[in-house]
Amino acid sequence: MNSLIRATRRKAGDLQFSQTRHSSVKALLERFKDPTSPFHLPPGTQGPESPDPPPEELSPADEGRVKLIELGFDPDSFWEQPIVWGDHDSFQHVNNVRYLRFLESGRIHWMGALGREIGGPEKADAMIKGKGVSLILKSVSLDYKRPVVFPDTLLVAHKPHPGPLYTSSRVDSPGVTTRRQAKTHFHVMGAIWSYTQRRIVTESDSVLVWYDYDRLVKCDPGEVARAAIQRRMNLGKTLSSP
């Protein structure tokens, strides 16, 4: 009996809420029609635009930069690579070998930024020309995620890490960030973002070795160079900190 009473009261409450809501909507519509009401809308017109500005949609370039920075990639490494028709092969997409060149261009651009931090423009010039202590590529692996076709522009990005690593989604995982930087080498994660597809289309991981081009041997570059690399390794950790 009590349950029946509660059910009846609940239905009555729902009905009352529905009637109140209907009355409120009806009253508001009537005020729109009333010429003396501040809410009046003459027939054939519409209300004022929202006072809030419309949300700004990021350009493909800005979206790529934001996403890669969120993943911990070094903004100093960002390199735009336009795709030309000659990048295609007979399979009607950008040839796989081209990506090695794209990553190389981005890596050399990043080395220049690294050199400027270590010792200014002169050091940057020396590192790119292979004079004194610089870097040499030991190995590189690529993971092709999506084919790219003309026309398109790619954004190439790099981030050093202690290694090894196989995907950019793990670039800031505890298993990677807790490893110590070696004295003579480090790993570099690479990512290629497509402006047309608005996503990462290729990833890479490589090993760079500190190399003395005067003595032709690998070497310890010193505390200043290692600190510059460590700062870049910490980018993702800084962004993810509370």
Side-chain angles (χ1 to χ4, degrees), residues 159-174:
K159 173 184 172 62
H161 65 92
L165 190 66
Y166 304 103
T167 173
S168 63
S169 62
R170 291 180 52 80
V171 76
D172 196 35
S173 62

Side-chain angles (χ1 to χ4, degrees), residues 173-209:
S173 62
V176 174
T177 57
T178 55
R179 300 184 190 130
R180 296 184 62 182
Q181 179 187 167
K183 288 187 176 182
T184 60
H185 68 276
F186 56 92
H187 290 242
V188 181
M189 184 73 195
I192 299 179
W193 176 278
S194 163
Y195 286 177
T196 297
Q197 301 183 48
R198 304 182 87 136
R199 60 173 296 167
I200 292 175
V201 292
T202 302
E203 291 181 334
S204 78
D205 197 25
S206 58
V207 178
L208 294 182
V209 177

Side-chain angles (χ1 to χ4, degrees), residues 27-42:
L28 182 60
L29 290 174
E30 291 297 329
R31 297 185 73 180
F32 286 152
K33 299 176 182 179
D34 182 2
T36 63
S37 169
F39 299 101
H40 175 61
L41 292 177

Side-chain angles (χ1 to χ4, degrees), residues 149-167:
V149 298
F150 173 86
D152 201 348
T153 298
L154 306 179
L155 183 62
V156 182
H158 286 90
K159 173 184 172 62
H161 65 92
L165 190 66
Y166 304 103
T167 173

Side-chain angles (χ1 to χ4, degrees), residues 23-238:
S23 300
S24 300
V25 173
K26 185 177 180 181
L28 182 60
L29 290 174
E30 291 297 329
R31 297 185 73 180
F32 286 152
K33 299 176 182 179
D34 182 2
T36 63
S37 169
F39 299 101
H40 175 61
L41 292 177
T45 64
Q46 60 183 10
E49 296 183 359
S50 170
D52 298 326
E56 295 184 7
E57 182 178 355
L58 292 177
S59 68
D62 289 340
E63 181 184 7
R65 292 173 185 274
V66 168
K67 181 62 176 179
L68 293 172
I69 289 174
E70 288 176 352
L71 291 172
F73 287 92
D74 185 358
D76 289 339
S77 73
F78 290 173
W79 171 265
E80 281 193 334
Q81 180 68 54
I83 296 300
V84 299
W85 179 257
D87 291 325
H88 280 197
D89 58 21
S90 60
F91 294 102
Q92 303 180 39
H93 60 70
V94 173
N95 185 270
N96 290 351
V97 177
R98 296 284 186 177
Y99 295 89
L100 286 169
R101 286 296 188 191
F102 302 159
L103 289 162
E104 179 184 60
S105 296
R107 186 170 63 250
I108 295 300
H109 172 71
W110 178 71
M111 282 174 56
L114 181 63
R116 285 190 292 274
E117 180 173 342
I118 295 173
E122 291 185 3
K123 179 60 177 177
D125 186 64
M127 286 188 65
I128 292 175
K129 294 180 178 178
K131 297 179 179 179
V133 175
S134 185
L135 291 165
I136 192 168
L137 180 66
K138 178 183 178 182
S139 63
V140 60
S141 62
L142 274 71
D143 180 10
Y144 302 102
K145 296 185 172 297
R146 295 284 294 268
V148 173
V149 298
F150 173 86
D152 201 348
T153 298
L154 306 179
L155 183 62
V156 182
H158 286 90
K159 173 184 172 62
H161 65 92
L165 190 66
Y166 304 103
T167 173
S168 63
S169 62
R170 291 180 52 80
V171 76
D172 196 35
S173 62
V176 174
T177 57
T178 55
R179 300 184 190 130
R180 296 184 62 182
Q181 179 187 167
K183 288 187 176 182
T184 60
H185 68 276
F186 56 92
H187 290 242
V188 181
M189 184 73 195
I192 299 179
W193 176 278
S194 163
Y195 286 177
T196 297
Q197 301 183 48
R198 304 182 87 136
R199 60 173 296 167
I200 292 175
V201 292
T202 302
E203 291 181 334
S204 78
D205 197 25
S206 58
V207 178
L208 294 182
V209 177
W210 289 106
Y211 194 75
D212 188 329
Y213 282 86
D214 296 334
R215 298 189 298 126
L216 303 181
V217 293
K218 68 179 181 179
C219 65
D220 180 347
E223 290 295 334
V224 174
R226 286 200 303 274
I229 295 297
Q230 190 62 53
R231 183 184 72 79
R232 287 166 165 80
M233 288 184 178
N234 293 338
L235 286 176
K237 288 186 282 188
T238 302

